[in-house]
């Protein structure tokens, strides 16, 4: 029996890596609950189903024109039907933009609990205990889910994917019945932003600027420091959303993943979405005036101070060293 259903996310013809993380978490959870785990692939092709079958014992593959691209409503209907048909106890989706769209509405449709930003699970006598992040990952809380089913939204870059090699079975599932009624929303197109030629993923030194920089004018000394260091400027999402830096410079789960020799995080709190994009850097230096900022838990070196004081001081030191 597949008590744990894990949704496979794909976009532009490719399975997203986060799906393999969720699949590994789902298999572990299924073991804990003494049940089976199945990957659920909506849309996609045989190759995607086969790669999922390399990582889990069962893949449920549903193909339909309304499932070809992500549509929370179509996905929700199909998942509700699957949960009821299979008597599943857990639906695990990634806490991504897709998952954030789907998870809560799926829980409403199933009339069950939803736990977002889930980072760990444990079975207890009273039910399932789910550990989740709070306050931009500054705290963790254990939530008891006494009754199943439950929708879990797993944190990205938190679970290690399993190596492929399982040799699972692919089962075709026909969703036509549940998609017969018209949907209220439909997928039209996915537009990629125009490429400006900046590639932060190739840089050896990256300076990441966060909301702590406060205003665009404060980027001037940061740019000067970047120039002195031969670094490329990048930013957290709020800085990109404010239009202070180009979208191509966004680091994180909905931006780019960088693995430079040195990453300097200036005024970045260290949300898991940001950390997902820079934790692979060889050396991380964080500057933040809050000593409890989560960024310090991934940083190799930390400076607890105002970045507007630290940045000019660093630049001056570099100039002294050069002369
Ligand atoms: C689906 C989804 C996808 C997302 N994708 C991304 C993504 O790809 N990348 C990303 O970055 N975020 C992403 N986010 C947003 C993410 O959740 C956080 O909101 C964001 O990373 C916070 O950015 P920040 O650290 O710059 O700002 P904040 O969390 O506001 O942190 C600002 C920090 O600056 C410090 N500070 C303030 N003033 C100073 C000063 N003078 N000197 C030094 N330190 C100072 C503060 O102590 C604080 O720690 C995503 C969110 C969602 C829901």
């Amino acid at each position: 029996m597949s008590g744990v259903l894990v949704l496979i996310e794909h976009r532009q013809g490719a399975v997203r890596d986060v799906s393999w993380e969720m699949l590994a978490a789902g298999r572990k959870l299924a073991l804990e609950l003494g049940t089976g785990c199945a990957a659920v692939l909506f849309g996609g092709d045989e190759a995607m189903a086969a790669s999922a079958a390399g990582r889990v014992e069962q893949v449920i593959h549903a193909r339909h024109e309304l499932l070809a691209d992500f549509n929370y409503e179509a996905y929700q209907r199909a998942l509700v039907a699957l949960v009821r048909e299979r008597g599943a106890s857990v639906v695990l989706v990634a806490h991504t933009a897709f998952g954030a769209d789907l998870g809560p509405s799926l829980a409403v449709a199933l009339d069950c609990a939803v736990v977002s930003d889930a980072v760990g699970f444990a079975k207890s006598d009273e039910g399932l205990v789910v550990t989740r992040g709070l306050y931009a990952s500054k705290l963790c809380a254990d939530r008891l889910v006494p009754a199943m089913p439950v929708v879990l939204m797993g944190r990205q870059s938190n679970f290690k994917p399993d190596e492929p090699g399982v040799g699972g079975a692919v089962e075709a599932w026909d969703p036509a019945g549940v998609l017969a009624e018209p949907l209220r929303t439909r997928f039209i197109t996915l537009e990629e932003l125009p490429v400006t030629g900046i590639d932060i993923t190739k840089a050896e030194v990256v300076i990441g600027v966060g909301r702590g920089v406060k205003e665009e004018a404060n980027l001037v000394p940061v740019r000067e420091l970047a120039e002195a260091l031969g670094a490329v400027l990048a930013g957290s999402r709020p800085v990109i959303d404010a239009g202070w830096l180009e979208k191509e410079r966004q680091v994180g789960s909905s931006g780019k993943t960088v693995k430079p020799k040195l990453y300097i995080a200036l005024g970045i709190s260290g949300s898991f979405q940001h950390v997902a994009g820079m934790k692979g850097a060889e050396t991380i230096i964080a500057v933040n005036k809050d000593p409890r900022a989560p960024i310090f838990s991934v940083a190799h070196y930390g400076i607890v101070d105002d970045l507007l004081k630290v940045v000019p001081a660093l630049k001056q030191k570099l100039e002294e060293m050069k002369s």
Side-chain angles (χ1 to χ4, degrees):
M1 184 191 152
S2 302
V4 177
L5 300 179
V6 180
L7 182 70
I8 300 293
E9 229 183 78
H10 58 91
R11 191 163 63 194
Q12 306 280 71
V15 173
R16 305 194 70 203
D17 287 346
V18 68
S19 300
W20 307 139
E21 297 167 19
M22 293 306 123
L23 216 42
R27 287 179 84 211
K28 214 164 144 227
L29 176 58
L31 264 181
E32 183 116 353
L33 297 175
T35 182
C37 175
V40 176
L41 175 63
F42 291 152
D45 55 19
E46 278 90 7
M48 283 186 202
S51 48
R55 294 171 192 258
V56 68
E57 291 69 17
Q58 192 192 5
V59 179
I60 301 169
H61 190 191
R63 296 176 85 173
H64 189 283
E65 58 175 327
L66 294 175
L67 295 174
D69 293 286
F70 177 77
N71 174 316
Y72 88 90
E73 212 187 341
Y75 271 44
Q76 179 196 301
R77 274 200 215 165
L79 275 169
V80 167
L82 265 177
V83 168
R84 295 205 171 125
E85 185 186 300
R86 310 285 159 123
S89 41
V90 177
V91 182
L92 178 59
V93 301
H95 192 141
T96 54
F98 285 5
D101 233 9
L102 175 69
S105 70
L106 176 63
V108 170
L110 286 168
D111 192 20
C112 74
V114 57
V115 185
S116 57
D117 195 19
V119 293
F121 329 98
K123 197 178 153 197
S124 84
D125 291 342
E126 290 126 299
L128 181 67
V129 178
V130 184
T131 306
R132 61 150 303 162
L134 287 176
Y135 300 111
S137 321
K138 284 198 180 84
L139 290 177
C140 276
D142 284 346
R143 290 274 160 86
L144 174 70
V145 182
M148 302 288 168
V150 60
V151 176
L152 300 179
M153 296 161 62
R155 181 187 290 186
Q156 229 173 322
S157 302
N158 179 69
F159 304 101
K160 195 169 171 282
D162 290 333
E163 289 301 322
V166 174
V170 179
E171 172 200 339
W173 185 74
D174 184 4
V178 291
L179 297 172
E181 292 289 315
L183 299 174
R184 282 164 297 189
T185 54
R186 70 190 164 92
F187 175 88
I188 299 173
T189 182
L190 187 124
E191 268 182 48
E192 297 279 7
L193 285 171
V195 179
T196 59
I198 304 152
D199 188 358
I200 59 168
T201 65
K202 300 269 179 355
E204 294 207 332
V205 183
V206 175
I207 297 185
V209 191
R211 185 152 38 199
V213 76
K214 298 224 170 45
E215 53 187 272
E216 193 174 8
N218 290 336
L219 280 177
V220 174
V222 180
R223 281 188 207 280
E224 287 169 3
L225 175 65
E227 207 170 304
L229 262 178
V232 162
L233 215 54
S236 67
R237 184 153 145 181
V239 170
I240 308 300
D241 287 349
W244 300 343
L245 290 175
E246 301 90 336
K247 173 71 185 157
E248 281 89 340
R249 294 185 194 263
Q250 183 180 321
V251 172
S253 57
S254 53
K256 299 264 173 66
T257 299
V258 294
K259 290 184 180 169
K261 289 204 166 121
L262 175 63
Y263 187 88
I264 305 178
L266 300 174
I268 291 178
S269 59
S271 69
F272 70 88
Q273 291 98 343
H274 187 82
V275 169
M278 46 63 81
K279 66 177 181 183
E282 261 174 51
T283 304
I284 299 169
I285 302 175
V287 181
N288 197 304
K289 62 181 189 182
D290 176 3
R292 289 161 306 158
I295 192 74
F296 288 125
S297 60
V298 291
H300 302 96
Y301 302 96
I303 302 172
V304 180
D305 210 335
D306 184 342
L307 74 91
L308 298 174
K309 283 198 276 169
V310 174
V311 167
L314 276 178
K315 194 189 144 225
Q316 194 187 334
K317 199 80 198 155
L318 277 168
E319 279 164 2
E320 282 169 20
M321 285 164 71
K322 278 184 190 164
S323 61

